[in-house]
Amino acid sequence: MRRKKQFYEKEREILQELSHKLDKGFVIKNFYLFNKIKKVMQYAEEQKAIPTVLLTLALKKISTPKQNITKHMKKLRGGFNARSLDTKVITPFLQKRDFICMKESGWTTRSLAQPYPYSKKYNFNFKSKELGPLFLDLIEDMNKLSIDPNNVALYILYLLKKEKRNRPQADRTPIKELSIISIRDILYYFQKHREDVVISGKARIPVLQVYSALSFCEQKINHKNSETFLEKKLSHHNSSDSSSNKQGDIHRFCKKTKEATQIFEIKDRELSIQDIDYIISNKVNEISNHIIINFLTTHEVSAELIDHCRKVSNEKIEVLVEEVDRFILNILAASGSIDFSKVLLIYSHLIEADKTVKNSHIKKWNNIIKTNEKAA
């Protein structure tokens, strides 16, 4: 009986061969091409779709040399479904190896998913003016086969592997050497980290800080008597899962029904009435049980916002708004502990494990902790 052919089988085999070469070790023969790819890959942490898209196009050109890979959508005349190849083959491969990649596909990035061929007329809208021309040159050269797409794919995988190997780890040693950590110290460290992180991706930082405090308090609870539990694994900050009952950044669930009983929506900016109304109307309109929605912000909360939350609260939904630091202070104070060093250890683990946190975020945190400075 003939074996049923797997979808994208040829592309999977090519990727496995490239992976084998990578693990076995290889000699870089084309340094001009390697350095060009290296220039593009220096933006990979900021633009995670870049390596994914280039790998997808390279793999397609290897498997189907006559395919015009600039036409990355089926709707384009003579085009192919690049997103499907990425979603089914490339991204799962990268995720399995813990390489830099998007959550679902490189084509979820708007700047790369416009329904036009990749050409000089295409507006990539990258922050760096250098990146667009470099990115396009690689695609056009692969398309003309003036460079070997096998080398492009191999060099990208090599640089992704190198990035993973050199990825910084959160330093826990200074925390263990500190004397008793107070709530004021926790707030000082957290505020300092938020202040020092100024690049993209900083919106995740207050989410992880709140989750660290909640996790610490969760460990103090007598779980036999508790009717709810805190989620053990955080969802991606920008992901939405319509198939689950997750609507916010952090969730607490009912043990019996597994439905969300509390949602935390955390913003690293000023909250508006529109933010609150949007969440209520679009994210919790199908919830049947009573639910508490905690809106937390790193900015000051106005009296107008507090008043609006009271007005929109009802028998089904209780809406609360608070500053991140005040919320953390209140829940830690209620925990009954006197030493909160474990909060810092939890946070260190989270920023190291979270794929949306940039390497520079971890380095900043290590620098803050190493000073052994405490709240004045």
Side-chain angles (χ1 to χ4, degrees):
M1 188 176 177
R2 287 183 68 185
R3 183 172 65 90
K4 188 178 179 181
K5 198 168 183 179
Q6 192 180 16
F7 202 43
Y8 292 125
E9 184 172 19
K10 190 176 181 181
E11 286 82 0
R12 291 177 199 275
E13 287 173 0
I14 292 166
L15 196 53
Q16 286 304 319
E17 285 173 18
L18 290 167
S19 179
H20 179 68
K21 280 184 183 178
L22 182 71
D23 295 336
K24 193 177 177 182
F26 66 96
V27 177
I28 297 169
K29 295 178 180 178
N30 188 337
F31 276 96
Y32 174 77
L33 175 61
F34 178 77
N35 287 328
K36 197 171 185 177
I37 292 170
K38 195 175 179 181
K39 274 187 179 179
V40 172
M41 289 295 288
Q42 72 184 8
Y43 299 100
E45 193 183 8
E46 289 295 314
Q47 303 276 348
K48 292 185 179 181
I50 292 295
T52 310
V53 169
L54 285 174
L55 272 173
T56 304
L57 299 180
L59 212 66
K60 186 63 182 179
K61 198 65 182 177
I62 298 166
S63 68
T64 319
K66 290 184 179 180
Q67 173 64 52
N68 185 340
I69 57 170
T70 68
K71 297 183 176 182
H72 54 99
M73 290 185 174
K74 196 78 174 172
K75 64 174 75 173
L76 300 170
R77 190 173 180 181
F80 73 105
N81 194 338
R83 180 168 179 169
S84 174
L85 173 57
D86 176 22
T87 305
K88 290 181 169 64
V89 180
I90 305 297
T91 292
F93 173 87
L94 296 176
Q95 287 175 339
K96 189 177 179 181
R97 284 152 184 78
D98 195 26
F99 289 167
I100 287 176
C101 64
M102 298 290 283
K103 184 176 173 65
E104 296 170 8
S105 166
W107 274 267
T108 56
T109 305
R110 288 180 187 176
S111 61
L112 293 169
Q114 298 170 54
Y116 310 106
Y118 292 146
S119 68
K120 289 176 182 176
K121 293 180 180 179
Y122 192 99
N123 182 17
F124 289 106
N125 200 26
F126 296 135
K127 288 181 182 177
S128 167
K129 291 180 180 179
E130 178 192 44
L131 180 56
L134 285 169
F135 181 72
L136 182 60
D137 281 351
L138 284 173
I139 294 171
E140 288 182 337
D141 288 347
M142 274 197 292
N143 196 44
K144 292 182 287 188
L145 291 174
S146 56
I147 57 173
D148 187 349
N150 283 280
N151 284 339
V152 173
L154 197 56
Y155 295 165
I156 289 171
L157 290 172
Y158 170 80
L159 290 166
L160 286 172
K161 187 177 181 179
K162 187 179 179 183
E163 186 280 333
K164 179 188 173 183
R165 190 169 60 242
N166 296 335
R167 204 173 287 163
Q169 293 184 324
D171 191 355
R172 297 168 181 78
T173 307
I175 299 170
K176 293 172 183 175
E177 291 173 353
L178 290 168
S179 56
I180 289 176
I181 300 290
S182 68
I183 297 174
R184 286 180 67 208
D185 295 327
I186 295 293
L187 296 178
Y188 172 79
Y189 284 123
F190 281 178
Q191 286 167 3
K192 192 95 173 93
H193 198 208
R194 293 200 304 266
E195 287 168 10
D196 286 359
V197 173
V198 293
I199 62 168
S200 64
K202 66 177 291 189
R204 186 67 164 170
I205 297 299
V207 176
L208 298 178
Q209 291 177 347
V210 170
Y211 186 76
S212 301
L214 286 168
S215 295
F216 175 81
C217 295
E218 185 81 353
Q219 293 170 15
K220 301 287 179 183
I221 294 171
N222 184 343
H223 291 282
K224 288 183 180 179
N225 299 329
S226 177
E227 295 179 359
T228 64
F229 65 93
L230 184 70
E231 64 179 326
K232 291 183 179 178
K233 191 175 180 182
L234 285 179
S235 304
H236 186 276
H237 184 70
N238 295 317
S239 68
S240 60
D241 186 357
S242 57
S243 63
S244 74
N245 53 357
K246 292 186 176 184
Q247 293 87 18
D249 293 303
I250 304 173
H251 309 80
R252 186 174 287 281
F253 296 101
C254 174
K255 282 184 178 179
K256 287 183 179 179
T257 65
K258 301 298 185 288
E259 287 185 311
T261 59
Q262 191 171 17
I263 296 171
F264 296 89
E265 188 70 27
I266 302 154
K267 300 294 182 189
D268 185 41
R269 58 172 173 79
E270 198 170 336
L271 266 173
S272 67
I273 288 172
Q274 288 75 19
D275 288 324
I276 290 166
D277 290 344
Y278 175 81
I279 298 297
I280 292 170
S281 61
N282 290 286
K283 293 194 175 183
V284 294
N285 53 352
E286 293 181 2
I287 290 175
S288 56
N289 58 300
H290 178 269
I291 195 162
I292 301 168
I293 308 173
N294 291 81
F295 286 95
L296 303 175
T297 173
T298 54
H299 288 58
E300 193 175 338
V301 175
S302 67
E304 183 187 14
L305 209 59
I306 295 169
D307 188 53
H308 183 73
C309 288
R310 287 198 194 102
K311 287 176 181 177
V312 295
S313 295
N314 54 45
E315 291 180 0
K316 184 181 174 184
I317 301 169
E318 186 176 352
V319 184
L320 305 170
V321 63
E322 201 169 3
E323 291 168 26
V324 164
D325 290 337
R326 182 162 291 280
F327 175 80
I328 291 172
L329 186 153
N330 289 339
I331 64 167
L332 291 181
S335 70
S337 296
I338 56 170
D339 181 16
F340 299 92
S341 56
K342 198 166 185 179
V343 178
L344 297 184
L345 290 171
I346 294 169
Y347 182 63
S348 294
H349 172 75
L350 287 172
I351 62 169
E352 185 182 292
D354 196 291
K355 291 181 182 178
T356 61
V357 173
K358 304 284 188 287
N359 291 343
S360 57
H361 296 167
I362 299 171
K363 288 175 183 176
K364 293 276 187 187
W365 178 247
N366 287 343
N367 289 338
I368 291 165
I369 291 299
K370 279 175 185 174
T371 61
N372 282 344
E373 217 175 308
K374 285 196 173 189

